[in-house]
Amino acid sequence: PNMAEFVEQSLEELVPVFEQRQATQLLSEKEVNLLVKRCCRYDYRLPKSHRKSEHYLNYGEFLSDLLDLLDERRKSIGYNHN
């Protein structure tokens, strides 16, 4: 697949996850839109022929920070997903 197809496929997998978090009020609509844009930027950097480990590390750090934020919000509202 070309670059655009790679990014589109990646976003098709992530958007429902973000929307689910919005439905449970862990993310706002504005945050979901921002996350989609940021993930799109990261995804466009990854498949290039001159990949740098820092791109993977930055994307991983971004996603780790997002998981930490979601964990904090779950605790603050008492949301437990089993």
Side-chain angles (χ1 to χ4, degrees):
N2 66 34
M3 174 92 72
E5 290 171 339
F6 170 81
V7 172
E8 184 178 337
Q9 180 182 355
S10 177
L11 291 177
E12 284 177 1
E13 294 170 3
L14 282 175
V15 168
V17 174
F18 294 153
E19 289 174 342
Q20 183 182 29
R21 298 317 175 268
Q22 181 182 348
T24 59
Q25 299 180 341
L26 293 173
L27 293 171
S28 69
E29 181 179 357
K30 185 177 179 178
E31 288 171 321
V32 168
N33 291 334
L34 179 63
L35 288 169
V36 168
K37 288 177 186 176
R38 288 188 70 186
C39 287
C40 186
R41 264 187 282 152
Y42 282 115
D43 283 340
Y44 268 108
R45 289 182 189 150
L46 294 181
K48 291 187 178 181
S49 60
H50 302 309
R51 294 181 190 129
K52 295 182 179 180
S53 60
E54 66 194 47
H55 292 155
Y56 289 98
L57 293 172
N58 290 340
Y59 198 7
E61 186 175 310
F62 163 72
L63 293 173
S64 178
D65 290 345
L66 175 60
L67 291 174
D68 289 344
L69 172 68
L70 292 173
D71 189 46
E72 288 176 25
R73 289 188 179 174
R74 279 187 188 105
K75 289 176 183 173
S76 72
I77 65 171
Y79 177 82
N80 292 313
H81 178 66
N82 295 324

